[in-house]
Amino acid sequence: MTLDEKVGQLVQYSAGQPTGPGTGRTDYEDMIAHGQIGSLLNVIDTPLINKYQHIAVDKSRLHIPILFGLDVIHGYRTEFPYPLAMASTWDPTLIERASRVAAIEASAIGIRWTFSPMVDIARDARWGRIQEGAGEDPYLGSLMAAAYVRGYQGSRLDAPDTMAACAKHYVGYGAAEGGRDYNSTEISEHTLREFYLPPFHAAVSAGTATLMSAFNSLNGVPSSANPFTLTQVLRKEWGFQGFVVSDWTSVGELIPHGIATDSATAARKGFLAGVDMDMASSFYHDNMAQLVHSGAVPEARINESVRNILRVKFALGLFDHPYADEGRAKHVNFLPESLQLEQTIAERSLVLLKNAPAANGTSLLPISKEVKSVALIGPLGDNPSDPDGLRPADFPKSGAPTFPSELAKRLGEGNVFRAKGGSINESSDQEIAAAVEAAKRADLAILTLGEPQEMSGEATSRTNLGLPGRQQELLEAVAATGKPVVLIVFSGRPLTIPWAAKQIPAILAAWSPGTEAGPALARTLFGEVNPSGKLVLSWPRSVGQEPLYYNALNTGRPAARYDLTQPPTDTDSKYVSRYIDELNTPQFPFGFGLSYTTYSYSPTTINKNQLSAKDLNRTLKANDKAVLTVEATVSNTGSRAGDETVQLYVGLRGTSTAQPVRALKGFQKIALAPGETKKVTFSLDADALAIWNDHNEFAAEPSKVSVWISPDSTSGSDAKLEILP
Ligand code: BGC
């Protein structure tokens, strides 16, 4: 390969709808013919993909195929719930199956690389991209990361229906200060190692072909020019063999970041730090050959990156099968089994936040036979999930029934009174009055409020996490009629709904349930399925609590033993880590979710009261399994069958670095018939008890350990053991 041909492999442009500030480049055909482009993104038209591919394969000197990439984030044609919602199923096998469907549908049009999964740990609901990840926990996030990779990449990457995965955004993007997208992050190595890096490591261990370097600066060094994370951790420690693509123009953004004042320096810094491919900024194309000629970049390094990229192209079988089969797309979209899977995931992602007895003493959900009519009120009730995904594109519709039509199917056409009550951001007095009138005529009001899709995702940070526009007023006006109210919250993030949490008897977090939203919601409301989703993020009471996450450190002045509902009464209760105007606790904690039945948990038991740090560390190194068995029994104490996610948390005290009050280290989903009891057994590996210590090593240390088996991150009783030296 000539140097120019090598540099060509390091270059990617958008040849479709830009997903960031554009370069304005359009000379792709000529560049491809000259071997100057290794990859294109955002082309979603199969004839155009094949046209570009023919130019690459037939006209360029070395016939190297183009790799086509796209943000296929929660399905392609069959749209699954947001990743945040899918994680709320706590079921990696479902995520793997959904990603498989996404890969089958997208690869059929010629997309062999998805910029997914987003595995950023996110603790701040102001950040709009919280919607694209698996929430605040590294253990759950790691399982989800690996599941996406397995699903996209299949069992053989060279099968024509796979896509190379791309774990993003490496690293720390989710910790944007103030929740403001693209903002800087400061993350200590300890916090990076224990919280932010594990999901990326899991994706690498699962074989992800690529990673994307992030926009944000990390401890003063932009993530797209960060040798510590990109080379030391990723290549040297984890042995990553694939390639790293920059995020959109993030190499170009090294100039506004302030670590380069010209494009050649930006290209050099990004590349030498470990970014193999430059997405959209054109800086590699413009400068790399000259950087090699001047000796600033060794050609050997270029060779390495080209190998990394070509290895992925070979692994995908692109050299043998470069073209998309134009007929295949017609046969793989919206397959009945894909829609069925979508519906199952949608149903299991719904989180029942509240179902308190209403005025008549019984819970409103599931909707009883006595309810003969409903008022469907709110701007999001018709089609809460336009199949747009995160990126508006011209997607065909699936033909799935809408939520109102599903209600009408169950109650009769004339018994569903629709009143939008305005739009997301605006409502007139008349619209609110019409909604109130609709509620008065009905037995039950269902309010569908929250955020539409475009209010979460990239570049959608908010400073206010309440219901947008006049939706809160609408809710209060309808509730004031005295009619029973069920609130369905659609959102891509936790919202602050303190009034509703107190006043509204039944609340369901619905996220954006995807293609089969209508049936999934109706079946849940009418009790044809029992909700089983659990939160993967803490829902705050007030935006001022953010960032809010369950696995926080204890602080030196924990407030736990004081009644924070009261103002401080003495110096002991004043000088603790608390607010003077809000509780510390979330409105709804991580791991929480109700169902139409109830469960009781026995105390947690363990098979050992002592372990030795020395033995644990030996086990860690040898990669041996199971050092501790933890058990509890869980009973279904209600009258319906249900699926419960039983969670296991660990807390360590006496270690060299302060550890979270609790950290998730395991979970199991169990099905329980009414009255049934099951014993749930967890085998813990040594790494569940190891930490990133003050010697910058991952190791077990002498400590006092609490282990909880519980239904969420705040309840349950712990069993105790000691780790001796
Ligand atoms: C986003 C990435 C995405 C890329 C390509 C960027 O703006 O941050 O997540 O993959 O655009 O669309």
Side-chain angles (χ1 to χ4, degrees):
M1 294 175 86
T2 65
L3 179 58
D4 283 346
E5 284 164 343
K6 291 177 193 170
V7 172
Q9 290 305 307
L10 315 181
V11 168
Q12 185 192 48
Y13 292 110
S14 171
Q17 179 158 9
T19 40
T23 57
R25 259 214 133 97
T26 52
D27 46 344
Y28 305 123
E29 293 190 19
D30 192 48
M31 291 181 81
I32 297 169
H34 288 93
Q36 292 173 330
I37 293 185
S39 171
L40 287 170
L41 76 154
N42 294 339
V43 197
I44 55 169
D45 174 49
T46 309
L48 188 57
I49 287 177
N50 281 341
K51 181 178 165 194
Y52 286 141
Q53 196 68 298
H54 269 291
I55 297 175
V57 173
D58 303 338
K59 297 206 175 142
S60 74
R61 195 180 70 90
L62 293 175
H63 318 291
I64 300 175
I66 301 270
L67 175 54
F68 292 92
L70 184 72
D71 292 292
V72 180
I73 288 171
H74 49 118
Y76 186 53
R77 300 303 202 212
T78 302
E79 191 205 357
F80 292 96
Y82 294 147
L84 182 62
M86 284 205 272
S88 309
T89 64
W90 290 61
D91 191 340
T93 61
L94 290 177
I95 275 68
E96 181 173 341
R97 289 170 61 199
S99 321
R100 194 84 285 286
V101 168
I104 290 168
E105 292 185 352
S107 64
I109 73 146
I111 301 297
R112 296 299 305 283
W113 183 18
T114 176
F115 307 118
S116 173
M118 185 189 103
V119 304
D120 294 308
I121 292 298
R123 300 166 156 184
D124 192 331
R126 291 173 294 182
W127 190 54
R129 295 198 89 166
I130 206 164
Q131 175 238 63
E132 288 180 59
E136 68 194 33
D137 185 74
Y139 176 84
L140 183 67
S142 297
L143 292 181
M144 294 304 173
Y148 278 104
V149 171
R150 286 195 303 269
Y152 291 137
Q153 299 195 165
S155 48
R156 289 190 56 137
L157 199 52
D158 64 354
D161 63 355
T162 65
M163 295 191 290
C166 182
K168 70 188 189 185
H169 306 81
Y170 192 67
V171 54
Y173 183 42
E177 277 181 13
R180 201 181 74 221
D181 210 355
Y182 317 118
N183 203 5
S184 314
T185 62
E186 290 287 329
I187 309 175
S188 69
E189 182 167 358
H190 172 254
T191 302
L192 258 185
R193 298 278 188 177
E194 286 200 347
F195 297 93
Y196 289 88
L197 287 173
F200 287 96
H201 195 182
V204 169
S205 301
T208 186
T210 74
L211 256 83
M212 184 183 291
S213 66
F215 289 124
N216 56 286
S217 78
L218 172 66
N219 305 329
V221 183
S223 289
S224 288
N226 196 312
F228 172 65
T229 54
L230 290 166
T231 300
Q232 170 59 32
V233 175
L234 181 61
R235 298 278 178 194
K236 296 196 177 145
E237 294 181 25
W238 298 349
F240 177 60
Q241 299 276 312
F243 73 87
V244 176
V245 64
S246 76
D247 202 346
W248 181 279
T249 64
S250 68
V251 170
E253 290 167 27
L254 298 178
I255 294 180
H257 266 299
I259 66 154
T261 53
D262 57 73
S263 66
T265 309
R268 174 175 58 79
K269 288 197 166 183
F271 182 73
L272 290 181
V275 176
D276 300 295
M277 183 182 278
D278 171 11
M279 180 192 286
S281 83
S282 203
F283 279 19
Y284 285 9
H285 170 83
D286 298 344
N287 298 288
M288 205 54 84
Q290 183 50 37
L291 285 165
V292 172
H293 293 314
S294 73
V297 168
E299 189 159 358
R301 287 295 304 274
I302 304 274
N303 293 345
E304 236 176 84
S305 288
V306 172
R307 279 194 203 104
N308 293 341
I309 292 165
L310 290 183
R311 218 182 286 121
V312 171
K313 290 189 178 183
F314 276 111
L316 281 162
L318 276 182
F319 284 88
D320 296 327
H321 309 287
Y323 305 109
D325 166 1
E326 291 187 31
R328 184 155 73 93
K330 293 194 196 78
H331 305 294
V332 298
N333 293 332
F334 304 125
L335 293 178
E337 56 270 30
S338 306
L339 294 175
Q340 182 54 55
L341 175 66
E342 201 297 299
Q343 185 181 311
T344 301
I345 295 179
E347 287 168 0
R348 295 188 191 172
S349 73
L350 303 177
V351 183
L352 185 62
L353 297 174
K354 188 175 172 192
N355 197 19
N360 66 0
T362 58
S363 300
L364 293 184
L365 293 177
I367 294 172
S368 86
K369 295 257 179 308
E370 267 99 82
V371 171
K372 303 291 180 213
S373 60
V374 300
L376 179 60
I377 295 169
L380 289 163
D382 290 320
N383 190 1
S385 177
D386 285 317
D388 280 346
L390 294 168
R391 308 286 185 203
D394 189 17
F395 284 126
K397 306 278 187 245
S398 70
T402 63
F403 181 45
S405 69
E406 287 289 302
L407 291 177
K409 200 153 79 186
R410 287 162 178 83
L411 295 166
E413 202 62 59
N415 298 319
V416 179
F417 315 135
R418 182 77 182 101
K420 284 200 156 193
S423 63
I424 299 291
N425 288 314
E426 280 166 52
S427 303
S428 66
D429 292 345
Q430 288 85 338
E431 285 168 317
I432 294 180
V436 166
E437 284 317 305
K440 283 184 184 158
R441 289 168 60 207
D443 294 337
L444 175 74
I446 299 176
L447 275 99
T448 50
L449 307 178
E451 294 180 338
Q453 291 220 355
E454 58 274 16
M455 279 188 77
S456 61
E458 189 173 349
T460 55
S461 295
R462 293 183 67 193
T463 59
N464 177 339
L465 296 176
L467 297 167
R470 292 179 71 188
Q471 294 184 66
Q472 177 66 29
E473 245 179 274
L474 174 66
L475 175 65
E476 291 184 26
V478 172
T481 61
K483 287 288 169 151
V485 170
V486 172
L487 170 62
I488 305 180
V489 182
F490 295 93
S491 66
R493 52 156 67 86
L495 295 181
T496 49
I497 49 167
W499 185 89
K502 208 162 167 195
Q503 307 292 343
I504 300 297
I507 306 175
L508 186 72
W511 320 110
S512 176
T515 305
E516 296 290 312
L521 287 168
R523 277 165 48 81
T524 302
L525 293 187
F526 285 88
E528 294 151 36
V529 284
N530 191 354
S532 61
K534 299 242 188 185
L535 296 178
V536 296
L537 278 167
S538 307
W539 278 46
R541 298 169 187 277
S542 132
V543 69
Q545 294 178 306
E546 294 289 342
L548 182 69
Y549 49 99
Y550 86 94
N551 44 8
L553 306 186
N554 207 24
T555 80
R557 295 190 177 189
R561 67 196 149 102
Y562 299 102
D563 180 0
L564 299 188
T565 59
Q566 302 300 323
T569 51
D570 55 23
T571 50
D572 278 2
S573 59
K574 175 173 166 64
Y575 292 101
V576 294
S577 181
R578 64 176 292 173
Y579 298 100
I580 59 169
D581 58 355
E582 185 54 274
L583 299 175
N584 288 4
T585 52
Q587 187 84 62
F588 304 108
F590 176 88
F592 173 79
L594 301 169
S595 91
Y596 296 150
T597 189
T598 47
Y599 303 102
S600 79
Y601 281 61
S602 75
T604 307
T605 60
I606 45 181
N607 69 337
K608 286 179 194 151
N609 296 324
Q610 290 185 335
L611 291 167
S612 109
K614 209 149 91 229
D615 289 350
L616 287 174
N617 287 326
R618 206 173 302 128
T619 313
L620 256 184
K621 289 214 180 76
N623 227 345
D624 279 354
K625 299 282 161 198
V627 294
L628 187 70
T629 304
V630 189
E631 283 181 347
T633 56
V634 182
S635 309
N636 182 341
T637 49
S639 55
R640 283 170 174 269
D643 294 326
E644 170 70 337
T645 301
V646 180
Q647 300 158 39
L648 182 140
Y649 295 89
V650 167
L652 301 170
R653 289 182 308 115
T655 42
S656 63
T657 53
Q659 289 297 304
V661 282
R662 276 191 188 200
L664 183 75
K665 296 294 174 184
F667 61 86
Q668 288 180 37
K669 289 184 83 81
I670 56 167
L672 286 172
E676 191 182 354
T677 295
K678 275 189 183 157
K679 188 197 277 180
V680 185
T681 305
F682 290 88
S683 293
L684 286 195
D685 299 349
D687 48 344
L689 300 171
I691 62 161
W692 190 257
N693 68 17
D694 64 349
H695 287 84
N696 267 354
E697 284 168 352
F698 193 60
E701 289 187 338
S703 50
K704 294 208 161 38
V705 184
S706 286
V707 187
W708 295 260
I709 291 181
S710 54
D712 59 58
S713 60
T714 57
S715 58
S717 71
D718 61 332
K720 293 185 169 52
L721 75 142
E722 194 163 0
I723 301 180
L724 303 169

